[in-house]
């Protein structure tokens, strides 16, 4: 299974934990993972979750071996627009992840993986899911509600 191989390889990639340079952390420590149609149909949520949990454990050990004593979080989310699972690690606590939008940190990866695996048209967003610009301009007093997305978090650093 290609997806499981890629998830396992994340733990072997270069890792930068530099609290004073979040841009470098993000560029180095963020991975995009896709899946073949075969992977989507054959893999179970439990298999993918287990692979990410093994990766988090390997990252935890790697960070300990580096002697990094600060906070670090490994996190995974489903990027629906790209049709990918994304994961990253950074020297941030789970409640301060570097997202521009609202998110909900969770210790349950199952729903994130389930949504990814069941995405029948990865990377496709239907026009009905897009906001109608004209209808938004007719209602200047209210902003469209942006629903927070779920992010699985695993603390991999020595401290919180």
């Amino acid at each position: 299974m290609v997806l499981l191989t890629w998830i396992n390889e994340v733990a072997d990639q270069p890792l930068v934990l530099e609290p004073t340079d979040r841009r470098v952390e993000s560029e180095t420590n963020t991975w995009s993972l896709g899946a073949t149609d075969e992977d989507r149909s054959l893999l179970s949520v439990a298999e993918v979750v287990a692979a990410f949990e093994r990766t988090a454990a390997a990252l935890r050990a790697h960070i300990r071996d580096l002697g990094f004593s600060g906070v670090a979080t490994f996190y995974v989310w489903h990027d629906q627009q790209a049709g990918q699972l994304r994961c990253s690690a950074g020297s941030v606590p789970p409640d301060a992840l570097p997202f521009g939008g609202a998110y909900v940190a969770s210790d349950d990866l199952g729903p994130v993986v389930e949504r990814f695996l069941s995405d029948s048209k990865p990377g496709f967003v239907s026009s009905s899911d897009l906001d109608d610009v004209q209808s938004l301009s007719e209602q200047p007093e209210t902003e469209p509600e942006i629903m927070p997305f779920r992010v699985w978090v695993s603390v991999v650093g020595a401290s919180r």
Side-chain angles (χ1 to χ4, degrees), residues 5 17 22 24 38 47 53 57 61 109 135-136 142 148-150:
T5 300
L17 295 173
R22 302 275 191 237
V24 169
E38 182 180 24
E47 289 172 306
E53 288 173 343
L109 180 55
S135 68
L136 289 176
T142 61
F149 59 97
R150 181 184 295 262

Side-chain angles (χ1 to χ4, degrees), residues 57-128:
L59 287 172
R60 195 173 292 111
H62 180 63
I63 290 168
R64 183 180 56 244
D65 291 346
L66 289 174
F68 183 78
S69 61
V71 63
T73 303
F74 176 59
Y75 50 103
V76 178
W77 69 100
H78 175 214
D79 183 336
Q80 186 177 0
Q81 289 180 325
Q84 300 172 330
L85 281 175
R86 302 256 171 123
C87 60
S88 191
S91 57
V92 294
D95 62 352
L97 301 179
F99 290 114
Y103 68 93
V104 175
S106 173
D107 62 358
D108 185 2
L109 180 55
V112 174
V113 171
E114 183 175 0
R115 188 163 186 172
F116 169 74
L117 290 178
S118 66
D119 189 350
S120 62
K121 295 181 181 178
F124 176 80
V125 178
S126 72
S127 60
S128 64

Side-chain angles (χ1 to χ4, degrees), residues 69-73 92-95 153-160:
S69 61
V71 63
T73 303
V92 294
D95 62 352
V153 296
S154 178
V155 176
V156 292
S159 66
R160 291 193 87 156

